[in-house]
mmCIF file of all heavy atoms in Angstrom:
data_model
loop_
_atom_site.group_PDB
_atom_site.id
_atom_site.type_symbol
_atom_site.label_atom_id
_atom_site.label_comp_id
_atom_site.label_asym_id
_atom_site.label_seq_id
_atom_site.Cartn_x
_atom_site.Cartn_y
_atom_site.Cartn_z
ATOM 1 N N PHE A 1 -1.514 -14.036 19.742
ATOM 2 C CA PHE A 1 -0.552 -13.835 20.828
ATOM 3 C C PHE A 1 -0.456 -15.145 21.600
ATOM 4 O O PHE A 1 -1.456 -15.659 22.104
ATOM 5 C CB PHE A 1 -0.987 -12.702 21.763
ATOM 6 C CG PHE A 1 -0.002 -12.419 22.863
ATOM 7 C CD1 PHE A 1 1.080 -11.585 22.636
ATOM 8 C CD2 PHE A 1 -0.162 -12.999 24.124
ATOM 9 C CE1 PHE A 1 1.997 -11.328 23.648
ATOM 10 C CE2 PHE A 1 0.742 -12.752 25.140
ATOM 11 C CZ PHE A 1 1.838 -11.911 24.898
ATOM 12 N N LEU A 2 0.763 -15.692 21.699
ATOM 13 C CA LEU A 2 0.967 -16.985 22.334
ATOM 14 C C LEU A 2 1.989 -16.895 23.454
ATOM 15 O O LEU A 2 2.972 -16.153 23.359
ATOM 16 C CB LEU A 2 1.446 -18.016 21.310
ATOM 17 C CG LEU A 2 0.563 -18.244 20.077
ATOM 18 C CD1 LEU A 2 1.219 -19.241 19.146
ATOM 19 C CD2 LEU A 2 -0.839 -18.697 20.478
ATOM 20 N N LYS A 3 1.757 -17.694 24.512
ATOM 21 C CA LYS A 3 2.727 -17.825 25.599
ATOM 22 C C LYS A 3 2.801 -19.288 26.004
ATOM 23 O O LYS A 3 1.777 -19.922 26.272
ATOM 24 C CB LYS A 3 2.316 -16.960 26.793
ATOM 25 C CG LYS A 3 3.331 -17.025 27.944
ATOM 26 C CD LYS A 3 2.912 -16.125 29.102
ATOM 27 C CE LYS A 3 3.943 -16.196 30.236
ATOM 28 N NZ LYS A 3 3.555 -15.352 31.386
ATOM 29 N N ASN A 4 4.022 -19.816 25.997
ATOM 30 C CA ASN A 4 4.250 -21.214 26.363
ATOM 31 C C ASN A 4 3.395 -22.150 25.496
ATOM 32 O O ASN A 4 2.697 -23.035 25.985
ATOM 33 C CB ASN A 4 3.944 -21.452 27.845
ATOM 34 C CG ASN A 4 4.444 -22.811 28.321
ATOM 35 O OD1 ASN A 4 5.355 -23.386 27.724
ATOM 36 N ND2 ASN A 4 3.841 -23.335 29.378
ATOM 37 N N VAL A 5 3.467 -21.931 24.186
ATOM 38 C CA VAL A 5 2.769 -22.771 23.199
ATOM 39 C C VAL A 5 3.807 -23.345 22.245
ATOM 40 O O VAL A 5 4.684 -22.619 21.762
ATOM 41 C CB VAL A 5 1.711 -21.961 22.417
ATOM 42 C CG1 VAL A 5 1.076 -22.812 21.326
ATOM 43 C CG2 VAL A 5 0.647 -21.418 23.367
ATOM 44 N N GLN A 6 3.715 -24.642 21.965
ATOM 45 C CA GLN A 6 4.682 -25.285 21.078
ATOM 46 C C GLN A 6 3.963 -26.159 20.040
ATOM 47 O O GLN A 6 2.857 -26.654 20.266
ATOM 48 C CB GLN A 6 5.656 -26.186 21.861
ATOM 49 C CG GLN A 6 6.579 -25.473 22.819
ATOM 50 C CD GLN A 6 5.974 -25.304 24.196
ATOM 51 O OE1 GLN A 6 5.236 -26.168 24.663
ATOM 52 N NE2 GLN A 6 6.274 -24.184 24.843
ATOM 53 N N ASP A 7 4.647 -26.326 18.893
ATOM 54 C CA ASP A 7 4.262 -27.307 17.863
ATOM 55 C C ASP A 7 2.811 -27.159 17.430
ATOM 56 O O ASP A 7 2.101 -28.148 17.224
ATOM 57 C CB ASP A 7 4.500 -28.732 18.374
ATOM 58 C CG ASP A 7 5.955 -28.980 18.726
ATOM 59 O OD1 ASP A 7 6.817 -28.692 17.879
ATOM 60 O OD2 ASP A 7 6.225 -29.440 19.855
ATOM 61 N N SER A 8 2.361 -25.933 17.271
ATOM 62 C CA SER A 8 0.951 -25.685 16.973
ATOM 63 C C SER A 8 0.781 -24.771 15.763
ATOM 64 O O SER A 8 1.732 -24.118 15.309
ATOM 65 C CB SER A 8 0.246 -25.067 18.193
ATOM 66 O OG SER A 8 0.241 -25.963 19.279
ATOM 67 N N LEU A 9 -0.445 -24.735 15.256
ATOM 68 C CA LEU A 9 -0.824 -23.846 14.150
ATOM 69 C C LEU A 9 -1.959 -22.961 14.625
ATOM 70 O O LEU A 9 -3.000 -23.466 15.059
ATOM 71 C CB LEU A 9 -1.249 -24.672 12.934
ATOM 72 C CG LEU A 9 -1.616 -23.927 11.635
ATOM 73 C CD1 LEU A 9 -1.403 -24.851 10.424
ATOM 74 C CD2 LEU A 9 -3.060 -23.420 11.628
ATOM 75 N N PHE A 10 -1.763 -21.658 14.583
ATOM 76 C CA PHE A 10 -2.791 -20.680 14.935
ATOM 77 C C PHE A 10 -2.987 -19.755 13.738
ATOM 78 O O PHE A 10 -2.019 -19.176 13.235
ATOM 79 C CB PHE A 10 -2.388 -19.856 16.156
ATOM 80 C CG PHE A 10 -2.615 -20.553 17.467
ATOM 81 C CD1 PHE A 10 -1.797 -21.602 17.875
ATOM 82 C CD2 PHE A 10 -3.660 -20.174 18.298
ATOM 83 C CE1 PHE A 10 -1.997 -22.244 19.083
ATOM 84 C CE2 PHE A 10 -3.873 -20.815 19.516
ATOM 85 C CZ PHE A 10 -3.042 -21.852 19.911
ATOM 86 N N ARG A 11 -4.228 -19.604 13.313
ATOM 87 C CA ARG A 11 -4.530 -18.721 12.181
ATOM 88 C C ARG A 11 -5.788 -17.919 12.494
ATOM 89 O O ARG A 11 -6.841 -18.490 12.789
ATOM 90 C CB ARG A 11 -4.729 -19.514 10.888
ATOM 91 C CG ARG A 11 -4.951 -18.620 9.666
ATOM 92 C CD ARG A 11 -5.095 -19.423 8.395
ATOM 93 N NE ARG A 11 -5.289 -18.538 7.255
ATOM 94 C CZ ARG A 11 -4.443 -18.401 6.237
ATOM 95 N NH1 ARG A 11 -3.324 -19.113 6.220
ATOM 96 N NH2 ARG A 11 -4.688 -17.582 5.237
ATOM 97 N N SER A 12 -5.656 -16.590 12.419
ATOM 98 C CA SER A 12 -6.792 -15.700 12.641
ATOM 99 C C SER A 12 -7.063 -14.906 11.373
ATOM 100 O O SER A 12 -6.147 -14.322 10.791
ATOM 101 C CB SER A 12 -6.510 -14.735 13.791
ATOM 102 O OG SER A 12 -7.508 -13.725 13.840
ATOM 103 N N GLU A 13 -8.328 -14.866 10.983
ATOM 104 C CA GLU A 13 -8.738 -14.063 9.835
ATOM 105 C C GLU A 13 -9.284 -12.707 10.264
ATOM 106 O O GLU A 13 -9.825 -11.978 9.439
ATOM 107 C CB GLU A 13 -9.797 -14.813 9.029
ATOM 108 C CG GLU A 13 -9.310 -16.111 8.422
ATOM 109 C CD GLU A 13 -8.176 -15.916 7.440
ATOM 110 O OE1 GLU A 13 -8.373 -15.234 6.420
ATOM 111 O OE2 GLU A 13 -7.065 -16.434 7.710
ATOM 112 N N GLY A 14 -9.135 -12.356 11.540
ATOM 113 C CA GLY A 14 -9.628 -11.058 11.996
ATOM 114 C C GLY A 14 -9.456 -10.835 13.486
ATOM 115 O O GLY A 14 -8.705 -9.987 13.924
ATOM 116 N N ARG A 15 -10.120 -11.647 14.302
ATOM 117 C CA ARG A 15 -10.112 -11.452 15.739
ATOM 118 C C ARG A 15 -8.775 -11.878 16.359
ATOM 119 O O ARG A 15 -8.047 -12.697 15.799
ATOM 120 C CB ARG A 15 -11.244 -12.241 16.382
ATOM 121 C CG ARG A 15 -12.612 -11.683 16.069
ATOM 122 C CD ARG A 15 -13.701 -12.542 16.667
ATOM 123 N NE ARG A 15 -13.758 -13.863 16.052
ATOM 124 C CZ ARG A 15 -14.781 -14.705 16.205
ATOM 125 N NH1 ARG A 15 -15.787 -14.363 16.965
ATOM 126 N NH2 ARG A 15 -14.775 -15.876 15.618
ATOM 127 N N LEU A 16 -8.506 -11.315 17.538
ATOM 128 C CA LEU A 16 -7.315 -11.693 18.288
ATOM 129 C C LEU A 16 -7.511 -13.085 18.884
ATOM 130 O O LEU A 16 -8.515 -13.362 19.533
ATOM 131 C CB LEU A 16 -7.061 -10.679 19.410
ATOM 132 C CG LEU A 16 -5.964 -11.034 20.427
ATOM 133 C CD1 LEU A 16 -4.595 -11.093 19.754
ATOM 134 C CD2 LEU A 16 -5.973 -10.048 21.583
ATOM 135 N N ILE A 17 -6.527 -13.966 18.675
ATOM 136 C CA ILE A 17 -6.492 -15.275 19.335
ATOM 137 C C ILE A 17 -5.358 -15.252 20.346
ATOM 138 O O ILE A 17 -4.218 -14.908 20.008
ATOM 139 C CB ILE A 17 -6.254 -16.419 18.344
ATOM 140 C CG1 ILE A 17 -7.310 -16.434 17.236
ATOM 141 C CG2 ILE A 17 -6.248 -17.758 19.063
ATOM 142 C CD1 ILE A 17 -7.073 -17.509 16.195
ATOM 143 N N VAL A 18 -5.639 -15.643 21.570
ATOM 144 C CA VAL A 18 -4.628 -15.718 22.622
ATOM 145 C C VAL A 18 -4.550 -17.161 23.103
ATOM 146 O O VAL A 18 -5.569 -17.781 23.423
ATOM 147 C CB VAL A 18 -4.970 -14.786 23.800
ATOM 148 C CG1 VAL A 18 -3.923 -14.903 24.901
ATOM 149 C CG2 VAL A 18 -5.084 -13.341 23.316
ATOM 150 N N GLY A 19 -3.323 -17.708 23.143
ATOM 151 C CA GLY A 19 -3.135 -19.072 23.606
ATOM 152 C C GLY A 19 -2.061 -19.153 24.671
ATOM 153 O O GLY A 19 -1.073 -18.405 24.619
ATOM 154 N N ALA A 20 -2.218 -20.069 25.624
ATOM 155 C CA ALA A 20 -1.223 -20.231 26.691
ATOM 156 C C ALA A 20 -1.188 -21.688 27.143
ATOM 157 O O ALA A 20 -2.238 -22.332 27.272
ATOM 158 C CB ALA A 20 -1.547 -19.322 27.875
ATOM 159 N N GLY A 21 0.043 -22.188 27.359
ATOM 160 C CA GLY A 21 0.218 -23.522 27.903
ATOM 161 C C GLY A 21 -0.339 -24.621 27.027
ATOM 162 O O GLY A 21 -0.988 -25.540 27.537
ATOM 163 N N LEU A 22 -0.069 -24.564 25.726
ATOM 164 C CA LEU A 22 -0.677 -25.506 24.779
ATOM 165 C C LEU A 22 0.396 -26.179 23.921
ATOM 166 O O LEU A 22 1.497 -25.657 23.750
ATOM 167 C CB LEU A 22 -1.671 -24.781 23.874
ATOM 168 C CG LEU A 22 -2.817 -24.041 24.584
ATOM 169 C CD1 LEU A 22 -3.553 -23.146 23.606
ATOM 170 C CD2 LEU A 22 -3.769 -25.028 25.237
ATOM 171 N N LYS A 23 0.031 -27.316 23.319
ATOM 172 C CA LYS A 23 0.946 -28.053 22.461
ATOM 173 C C LYS A 23 0.140 -28.883 21.459
ATOM 174 O O LYS A 23 -0.929 -29.399 21.780
ATOM 175 C CB LYS A 23 1.840 -28.976 23.306
ATOM 176 C CG LYS A 23 2.922 -29.737 22.525
ATOM 177 C CD LYS A 23 3.769 -30.583 23.472
ATOM 178 C CE LYS A 23 4.779 -31.448 22.725
ATOM 179 N NZ LYS A 23 5.780 -30.648 21.990
ATOM 180 N N ASP A 24 0.648 -28.953 20.219
ATOM 181 C CA ASP A 24 0.080 -29.809 19.175
ATOM 182 C C ASP A 24 -1.378 -29.481 18.866
ATOM 183 O O ASP A 24 -2.218 -30.378 18.687
ATOM 184 C CB ASP A 24 0.189 -31.285 19.549
ATOM 185 C CG ASP A 24 1.618 -31.792 19.494
ATOM 186 O OD1 ASP A 24 2.390 -31.305 18.639
ATOM 187 O OD2 ASP A 24 1.973 -32.671 20.298
ATOM 188 N N LEU A 25 -1.688 -28.178 18.805
ATOM 189 C CA LEU A 25 -3.054 -27.762 18.480
ATOM 190 C C LEU A 25 -3.120 -27.127 17.097
ATOM 191 O O LEU A 25 -2.148 -26.557 16.599
ATOM 192 C CB LEU A 25 -3.575 -26.758 19.505
ATOM 193 C CG LEU A 25 -4.116 -27.269 20.831
ATOM 194 C CD1 LEU A 25 -4.748 -26.130 21.599
ATOM 195 C CD2 LEU A 25 -5.118 -28.399 20.626
ATOM 196 N N VAL A 26 -4.308 -27.210 16.506
ATOM 197 C CA VAL A 26 -4.673 -26.402 15.344
ATOM 198 C C VAL A 26 -5.833 -25.520 15.770
ATOM 199 O O VAL A 26 -6.873 -26.024 16.225
ATOM 200 C CB VAL A 26 -5.099 -27.276 14.144
ATOM 201 C CG1 VAL A 26 -5.714 -26.414 13.057
ATOM 202 C CG2 VAL A 26 -3.912 -28.049 13.598
ATOM 203 N N VAL A 27 -5.670 -24.203 15.654
ATOM 204 C CA VAL A 27 -6.730 -23.248 15.958
ATOM 205 C C VAL A 27 -6.868 -22.317 14.758
ATOM 206 O O VAL A 27 -5.930 -21.591 14.424
ATOM 207 C CB VAL A 27 -6.424 -22.436 17.237
ATOM 208 C CG1 VAL A 27 -7.542 -21.438 17.509
ATOM 209 C CG2 VAL A 27 -6.242 -23.368 18.431
ATOM 210 N N VAL A 28 -8.023 -22.357 14.117
ATOM 211 C CA VAL A 28 -8.271 -21.538 12.931
ATOM 212 C C VAL A 28 -9.575 -20.783 13.142
ATOM 213 O O VAL A 28 -10.638 -21.399 13.311
ATOM 214 C CB VAL A 28 -8.367 -22.399 11.652
ATOM 215 C CG1 VAL A 28 -8.598 -21.509 10.436
ATOM 216 C CG2 VAL A 28 -7.105 -23.233 11.474
ATOM 217 N N ASP A 29 -9.503 -19.466 13.144
ATOM 218 C CA ASP A 29 -10.665 -18.621 13.417
ATOM 219 C C ASP A 29 -10.994 -17.799 12.179
ATOM 220 O O ASP A 29 -10.159 -17.044 11.670
ATOM 221 C CB ASP A 29 -10.375 -17.691 14.598
ATOM 222 C CG ASP A 29 -11.574 -16.840 14.953
ATOM 223 O OD1 ASP A 29 -12.636 -17.415 15.244
ATOM 224 O OD2 ASP A 29 -11.458 -15.603 14.925
ATOM 225 N N THR A 30 -12.236 -17.948 11.660
ATOM 226 C CA THR A 30 -12.708 -17.169 10.527
ATOM 227 C C THR A 30 -13.851 -16.273 10.979
ATOM 228 O O THR A 30 -14.165 -16.195 12.169
ATOM 229 C CB THR A 30 -13.160 -18.093 9.382
ATOM 230 O OG1 THR A 30 -14.312 -18.840 9.817
ATOM 231 C CG2 THR A 30 -12.053 -19.055 8.980
ATOM 232 N N LEU A 31 -14.510 -15.619 10.036
ATOM 233 C CA LEU A 31 -15.582 -14.692 10.379
ATOM 234 C C LEU A 31 -16.740 -15.374 11.089
ATOM 235 O O LEU A 31 -17.417 -14.770 11.916
ATOM 236 C CB LEU A 31 -16.094 -14.003 9.109
ATOM 237 C CG LEU A 31 -15.148 -13.005 8.445
ATOM 238 C CD1 LEU A 31 -15.701 -12.588 7.089
ATOM 239 C CD2 LEU A 31 -14.952 -11.787 9.337
ATOM 240 N N ASP A 32 -16.975 -16.658 10.761
ATOM 241 C CA ASP A 32 -18.184 -17.296 11.276
ATOM 242 C C ASP A 32 -17.969 -18.655 11.904
ATOM 243 O O ASP A 32 -18.931 -19.293 12.335
ATOM 244 C CB ASP A 32 -19.212 -17.436 10.140
ATOM 245 C CG ASP A 32 -18.683 -18.282 8.995
ATOM 246 O OD1 ASP A 32 -17.456 -18.448 8.887
ATOM 247 O OD2 ASP A 32 -19.504 -18.774 8.195
ATOM 248 N N ALA A 33 -16.736 -19.134 11.955
ATOM 249 C CA ALA A 33 -16.501 -20.456 12.529
ATOM 250 C C ALA A 33 -15.079 -20.537 13.070
ATOM 251 O O ALA A 33 -14.157 -19.920 12.520
ATOM 252 C CB ALA A 33 -16.726 -21.545 11.487
ATOM 253 N N THR A 34 -14.909 -21.321 14.138
ATOM 254 C CA THR A 34 -13.595 -21.521 14.744
ATOM 255 C C THR A 34 -13.354 -23.020 14.906
ATOM 256 O O THR A 34 -14.205 -23.740 15.433
ATOM 257 C CB THR A 34 -13.513 -20.853 16.123
ATOM 258 O OG1 THR A 34 -13.787 -19.455 15.992
ATOM 259 C CG2 THR A 34 -12.134 -21.034 16.732
ATOM 260 N N LEU A 35 -12.209 -23.464 14.439
ATOM 261 C CA LEU A 35 -11.803 -24.858 14.595
ATOM 262 C C LEU A 35 -10.733 -24.962 15.677
ATOM 263 O O LEU A 35 -9.750 -24.222 15.662
ATOM 264 C CB LEU A 35 -11.240 -25.397 13.273
ATOM 265 C CG LEU A 35 -10.549 -26.762 13.358
ATOM 266 C CD1 LEU A 35 -11.570 -27.872 13.598
ATOM 267 C CD2 LEU A 35 -9.735 -27.045 12.104
ATOM 268 N N ILE A 36 -10.920 -25.894 16.600
ATOM 269 C CA ILE A 36 -9.908 -26.224 17.605
ATOM 270 C C ILE A 36 -9.732 -27.735 17.559
ATOM 271 O O ILE A 36 -10.694 -28.484 17.811
ATOM 272 C CB ILE A 36 -10.321 -25.773 19.019
ATOM 273 C CG1 ILE A 36 -10.630 -24.278 19.041
ATOM 274 C CG2 ILE A 36 -9.229 -26.109 20.028
ATOM 275 C CD1 ILE A 36 -11.251 -23.794 20.338
ATOM 276 N N ALA A 37 -8.543 -28.203 17.206
ATOM 277 C CA ALA A 37 -8.332 -29.635 17.036
ATOM 278 C C ALA A 37 -6.912 -30.017 17.408
ATOM 279 O O ALA A 37 -5.993 -29.190 17.355
ATOM 280 C CB ALA A 37 -8.608 -30.038 15.581
ATOM 281 N N ASN A 38 -6.736 -31.271 17.768
ATOM 282 C CA ASN A 38 -5.391 -31.801 17.921
ATOM 283 C C ASN A 38 -4.740 -31.882 16.550
ATOM 284 O O ASN A 38 -5.344 -32.369 15.590
ATOM 285 C CB ASN A 38 -5.452 -33.196 18.557
ATOM 286 C CG ASN A 38 -4.068 -33.751 18.870
ATOM 287 O OD1 ASN A 38 -3.308 -34.073 17.958
ATOM 288 N ND2 ASN A 38 -3.763 -33.879 20.140
ATOM 289 N N LYS A 39 -3.533 -31.376 16.446
ATOM 290 C CA LYS A 39 -2.865 -31.318 15.146
ATOM 291 C C LYS A 39 -2.755 -32.695 14.496
ATOM 292 O O LYS A 39 -2.870 -32.834 13.270
ATOM 293 C CB LYS A 39 -1.474 -30.705 15.317
ATOM 294 C CG LYS A 39 -0.720 -30.491 14.017
ATOM 295 C CD LYS A 39 0.570 -29.754 14.243
ATOM 296 C CE LYS A 39 1.702 -30.683 14.618
ATOM 297 N NZ LYS A 39 2.076 -30.705 16.016
ATOM 298 N N ASN A 40 -2.564 -33.721 15.310
ATOM 299 C CA ASN A 40 -2.384 -35.072 14.781
ATOM 300 C C ASN A 40 -3.695 -35.747 14.409
ATOM 301 O O ASN A 40 -3.688 -36.878 13.930
ATOM 302 C CB ASN A 40 -1.626 -35.925 15.802
ATOM 303 C CG ASN A 40 -0.232 -35.380 16.074
ATOM 304 O OD1 ASN A 40 0.516 -35.086 15.150
ATOM 305 N ND2 ASN A 40 0.107 -35.204 17.349
ATOM 306 N N SER A 41 -4.810 -35.050 14.602
ATOM 307 C CA SER A 41 -6.118 -35.575 14.207
ATOM 308 C C SER A 41 -6.691 -34.821 13.014
ATOM 309 O O SER A 41 -7.887 -34.938 12.714
ATOM 310 C CB SER A 41 -7.105 -35.493 15.386
ATOM 311 O OG SER A 41 -6.640 -36.239 16.486
ATOM 312 N N SER A 42 -5.865 -34.047 12.322
ATOM 313 C CA SER A 42 -6.390 -33.191 11.254
ATOM 314 C C SER A 42 -6.909 -33.979 10.064
ATOM 315 O O SER A 42 -7.668 -33.455 9.245
ATOM 316 C CB SER A 42 -5.336 -32.175 10.812
ATOM 317 O OG SER A 42 -4.164 -32.815 10.353
ATOM 318 N N GLN A 43 -6.523 -35.269 9.939
ATOM 319 C CA GLN A 43 -7.099 -36.098 8.871
ATOM 320 C C GLN A 43 -8.597 -36.304 9.077
ATOM 321 O O GLN A 43 -9.328 -36.631 8.144
ATOM 322 C CB GLN A 43 -6.387 -37.458 8.827
ATOM 323 C CG GLN A 43 -4.994 -37.442 8.218
ATOM 324 C CD GLN A 43 -5.015 -37.495 6.701
ATOM 325 O OE1 GLN A 43 -6.073 -37.348 6.092
ATOM 326 N NE2 GLN A 43 -3.858 -37.678 6.089
ATOM 327 N N ASP A 44 -9.067 -36.133 10.324
ATOM 328 C CA ASP A 44 -10.473 -36.401 10.642
ATOM 329 C C ASP A 44 -11.396 -35.229 10.317
ATOM 330 O O ASP A 44 -12.619 -35.357 10.445
ATOM 331 C CB ASP A 44 -10.619 -36.732 12.134
ATOM 332 C CG ASP A 44 -9.814 -37.950 12.542
ATOM 333 O OD1 ASP A 44 -9.596 -38.824 11.681
ATOM 334 O OD2 ASP A 44 -9.388 -38.020 13.711
ATOM 335 N N ILE A 45 -10.843 -34.100 9.903
ATOM 336 C CA ILE A 45 -11.664 -32.903 9.723
ATOM 337 C C ILE A 45 -12.660 -33.069 8.579
ATOM 338 O O ILE A 45 -13.788 -32.580 8.641
ATOM 339 C CB ILE A 45 -10.765 -31.659 9.537
ATOM 340 C CG1 ILE A 45 -10.052 -31.362 10.861
ATOM 341 C CG2 ILE A 45 -11.569 -30.452 9.078
ATOM 342 C CD1 ILE A 45 -9.059 -30.243 10.790
#
């Protein structure tokens, strides 16, 4: 569930993710780990 979020990637494998007032983020939530990163830094992962 997002509000006032642009140009981002949100992926949930189960739990609810709520985002607000964000831009250019990658948020990926799995059963045991969550990644939060600037989208333009994804080469560094």
Side-chain angles (χ1 to χ4, degrees):
F1 182 84
L2 304 177
K3 182 179 180 181
N4 192 23
V5 175
Q6 295 88 35
D7 300 309
S8 296
L9 183 155
F10 280 73
R11 184 178 181 115
S12 169
E13 297 298 298
R15 290 177 294 194
L16 171 64
I17 303 177
V18 179
L22 302 169
K23 184 178 175 64
D24 289 327
L25 279 188
V26 169
V27 179
V28 181
D29 182 58
T30 65
L31 290 171
D32 60 340
T34 302
L35 170 71
I36 304 171
N38 186 291
K39 185 174 86 257
N40 298 311
S41 300
S42 59
Q43 285 278 11
D44 300 332
I45 291 175

